[in-house]
Amino acid sequence: TQLLEQSPQFLSIQEGENLTVYCNSSSVFSSLQWYRQEPGEGPVLLVTVVTGGEVKKLKRLTFQFGDARKDSSLHITAAQPGDTGLYLCAGGNTGGFKTIFGAGTRLFVKA
Amino acid sequence: NAGVTQTPKFRILKIGQSMTLQCAQDMNHNYMYWYRQDPGMGLKLIYYSVGAGITDKGEVPNGYNVSRSTTEDFPLRLELAAPSQTSVYFCASSRKGQDRVLSGNQPQHFGDGTRLSIL
C-alpha cells in the first residue's frame, strides 16, 4: 500500500517567516501534486511535479520533487495570512491513475 | 464556469436512513471520484469512475454505492446510514491522460463538499 506522510501536521507562524513542509513516502510516484484547501471548500491544485529533482516556483512558493520521486517539499518565503490553509500532497500512482493523498499540514499565519 | 457542483452542502441523517449525495461537473471530464475527509486523516477514495457506465471501488467503499449514467453526473448513495459515515464528502473530476499513468498526473477539480452528520 502506498502511503504519503506529511510533516509537520500543524504549523503556526508569524507573518514574514519562512517555512518548509514535507511529504515523504517509501514508494515511488509518477507525479506529486500539492493542493491547498480552505475551510468550507474543496482542495485546489497549486502545482504538479513530474520529473525527479524538479523544482517549480509559484510566486513565494517553491516546490521540489525528490530525485527518487519518493518525496516532495513545499517552501514558503515570507508567509502571509492569506497562506493560511490545509496543504495536501497527492501522489500519482505508478500502477494506474488513482491518486494517494497525504493527511495534510495545517498552516496558520498570524498577522 | 460552475466546475464541480455538490448538493446538498449540509445534511443530518438518523441511523438507518438513506440518502444520495449529488455531484455534477460541466468540464466534460472522463474521470470522477468520491472521497471522504475525516479530521487529520486526509482524503480517502470511496469510488471512482473512468467514464459513463464504468465504476470501481476505491479504498473505503463499504456502505456506499455509485452509478455513472452520464458523463456529467456521479451520485453517491448511502443505503443504511451509520455513525461511522459522519464525514465531509468531496466529489472530484479530472481529464483523461494519454495513458493510465499520465491520467494520474492530471489535476483533480473538487467540489465544495457535503458535510454529513449521522446521529
Side-chain angles (χ1 to χ4, degrees):
Chain A
T1 302
Q2 290 182 303
L3 293 173
L4 280 168
E5 294 185 354
Q6 290 190 243
S7 61
Q9 289 183 318
F10 181 80
L11 191 56
S12 180
I13 61 173
Q14 290 292 137
E15 181 178 6
E17 293 184 3
N18 302 332
L19 67 116
T20 302
V21 298
Y22 300 92
C23 176
N24 295 304
S25 177
S26 58
S27 302
V28 175
F29 289 94
S30 59
S31 66
L32 233 298
Q33 298 174 337
W34 285 92
Y35 291 81
R36 184 169 74 199
Q37 184 180 15
E38 300 190 23
E41 299 181 4
V44 176
L45 181 74
L46 295 173
V47 77
T48 301
V49 285
V50 178
T51 305
E54 182 177 2
V55 177
K56 280 192 175 179
K57 293 191 175 184
L58 186 66
K59 296 183 181 179
R60 295 176 293 100
L61 278 61
T62 302
F63 305 86
Q64 185 163 8
F65 200 11
D67 291 340
R69 292 187 290 132
K70 293 182 178 181
D71 52 76
S72 181
S73 63
L74 158 60
H75 182 79
I76 301 179
T77 302
Q80 299 177 359
D83 296 327
T84 293
L86 178 67
Y87 289 81
L88 296 162
C89 68
N93 191 328
T94 55
F97 72 91
K98 286 184 285 185
T99 301
I100 309 297
F101 281 84
T105 292
R106 190 166 298 279
L107 172 65
F108 183 65
V109 182
K110 294 175 281 188
Chain B
N1 292 334
V4 178
T5 303
Q6 290 185 239
T7 56
K9 292 189 183 300
F10 304 95
R11 184 74 183 267
I12 298 174
L13 284 181
K14 294 183 179 179
I15 295 172
Q17 287 185 321
S18 61
M19 79 162 293
T20 299
L21 282 65
Q22 302 291 344
C23 175
Q25 54 95 6
D26 62 0
M27 297 172 283
N28 201 32
H29 285 168
N30 292 95
Y31 296 163
M32 294 189 75
Y33 315 81
W34 274 105
Y35 293 92
R36 59 179 288 173
Q37 186 176 36
D38 300 316
M41 298 295 290
L43 292 164
K44 300 292 186 185
L45 183 64
I46 304 171
Y47 270 95
Y48 64 96
S49 170
V50 300
I54 306 170
T55 63
D56 207 347
K57 296 177 180 179
E59 188 179 358
V60 289
N62 291 343
Y64 307 94
N65 280 299
V66 294
S67 59
R68 185 98 181 267
S69 57
T70 67
T71 300
E72 294 78 20
D73 300 300
F74 191 39
L76 177 71
R77 178 86 178 161
L78 282 71
E79 290 292 351
L80 288 171
S84 61
Q85 293 177 306
T86 293
S87 189
V88 181
Y89 291 85
F90 287 99
C91 178
S93 70
S94 65
R95 294 171 55 189
K96 180 180 179 182
Q98 291 181 326
D99 58 34
R100 286 173 64 84
V101 173
L102 289 175
S103 291
N105 296 349
Q106 298 297 315
Q108 294 190 23
H109 299 260
F110 286 83
D112 286 339
T114 295
R115 186 175 295 275
L116 180 63
S117 294
I118 298 162
L119 307 175

